[in-house]
Amino acid sequence: MSPSDLAAHEKREFASEIKFLLDPPTAGLIRNWARACLVADPNAQGFAGDTYSVTSIYLDNALLDVFHRRGPYQHSKFRVRRYDRAAFFFERKLKTRGRLAKRRTAVTPDDIARLSAPSTVAPWPGHWFAEKIAGRRLRPQCQIDYQRTARVLMTPAGPIRLTLDEAIHARASTEIQFSDQSPALPVTDRVVLELKYRRDLPALFRDLVERFCLNPVSFSKYRAALPVLGVIAASAVEIFAVEKLQTCPTS
């Protein structure tokens, strides 16, 4: 379940995912907990070997049907993703009833450029992605950047994964190419905690949730970014109950 499995083509099984919005002090405590209880993502870096940067270009149609979760657009997100400016992927994230699956393909910068120019050559690794976004008339809406801490563990019930995403910023995007120069705006001052697992909430994660009195929330970086960028009115997004989050005393 690591981010940078460089297999050219990958389909991931359905998994469960729950999210929490944390204040930075609580995120720091949970990061320490994770470093004590889980192992570092094997493809991450940093002094603890568990951090990397993520940059994603999110695609939507002119009516923003993905944002509004309308019709056939309500369950899928299409994005072009970069890890540490070194690994690139075309991704489709499918989420239904709290369960998610990912299809992704490792690509090169040249492959990304091919999305902007229709091609009649033989199928290539990213052909499925190009076909999907063309058929749905998807185009870039924004670029989102953040820093991630990732810890994993193999358990008898399967792999589990914990990530902490912080310093989340968004930039306007009209082309499918990564930009590090245009102005970036902060999306939230919170840290996004995600817990991924195969079926039932593992005992280790259940202990974490109880220890820190965590309340799950529905949160989408993409849906939070568009109001910040002025693409859509802030009133179009539900207000997340972050004020209800609290930290239990630890001992």
Side-chain angles (χ1 to χ4, degrees):
M1 298 176 71
S2 63
S4 302
D5 181 352
L6 296 181
H9 189 77
E10 175 186 349
K11 287 187 179 180
R12 294 187 178 187
E13 297 178 12
F14 273 96
S16 296
E17 174 188 76
I18 52 176
K19 297 181 181 181
F20 309 86
L21 291 178
L22 313 174
D23 57 77
T26 302
L29 294 173
I30 291 177
R31 183 178 289 104
N32 291 339
W33 177 93
R35 286 173 173 167
C37 298
L38 306 171
V39 300
D41 183 309
N43 296 288
Q45 303 177 39
F47 81 95
D50 59 3
T51 58
Y52 53 89
S53 64
V54 181
T55 306
S56 298
I57 298 172
Y58 283 85
L59 308 176
D60 207 335
N61 65 9
L63 298 177
L64 301 180
D65 285 330
V66 174
F67 176 92
H68 291 291
R69 297 171 178 157
R70 295 189 185 116
Y73 297 86
Q74 63 182 308
H75 298 303
S76 297
K77 285 192 180 80
F78 289 83
R79 62 197 180 196
V80 180
R81 177 162 282 191
R82 177 182 71 183
Y83 295 100
D84 280 336
R85 304 190 183 188
F88 303 86
F89 292 89
F90 294 158
E91 295 187 349
R92 181 196 65 189
K93 183 177 181 180
L94 175 66
K95 187 170 184 179
T96 54
R97 299 179 182 178
R99 307 275 289 177
L100 65 89
K102 242 183 222 182
R103 180 181 181 182
R104 69 179 187 178
T105 299
V107 295
T108 68
D110 288 341
D111 291 327
I112 295 173
R114 293 177 71 172
L115 294 177
S116 303
S119 175
T120 58
V121 300
W124 51 291
H127 180 73
W128 70 271
F129 187 84
E131 265 197 341
K132 289 287 188 182
I133 66 172
R136 294 179 176 228
R137 299 183 180 179
L138 303 180
R139 61 190 188 188
Q141 298 295 334
C142 68
Q143 175 180 305
I144 298 177
D145 310 82
Y146 52 93
Q147 295 295 314
R148 169 168 283 182
T149 300
R151 309 290 294 190
V152 298
L153 192 69
M154 181 58 71
T155 73
I160 63 175
R161 179 174 175 80
L162 177 153
T163 58
L164 290 159
D165 297 338
E166 56 194 321
I168 304 169
H169 287 73
R171 309 168 194 265
S173 179
T174 58
E175 298 181 356
I176 307 180
Q177 62 181 37
F178 294 104
S179 171
D180 300 314
Q181 304 301 322
S182 59
L185 298 175
V187 173
T188 177
D189 60 357
R190 297 280 172 157
V191 179
V192 180
L193 167 65
E194 296 184 7
L195 305 179
K196 293 186 176 72
Y197 48 93
R198 281 287 180 251
R199 295 179 182 84
D200 298 327
L201 186 67
L204 192 63
F205 283 168
R206 188 164 54 248
D207 291 345
L208 170 67
V209 170
E210 293 174 356
R211 179 181 177 87
F212 291 97
C213 296
L214 301 179
N215 298 302
V217 297
S218 174
F219 182 79
S220 161
K221 297 182 183 75
Y222 170 60
R223 300 187 78 245
L226 291 197
V228 170
L229 294 172
V231 175
I232 198 161
S235 59
V237 184
E238 65 264 28
I239 303 301
F240 304 107
V242 297
E243 71 277 1
K244 295 181 181 179
L245 295 178
Q246 55 183 321
T247 303
C248 285
T250 57
S251 59

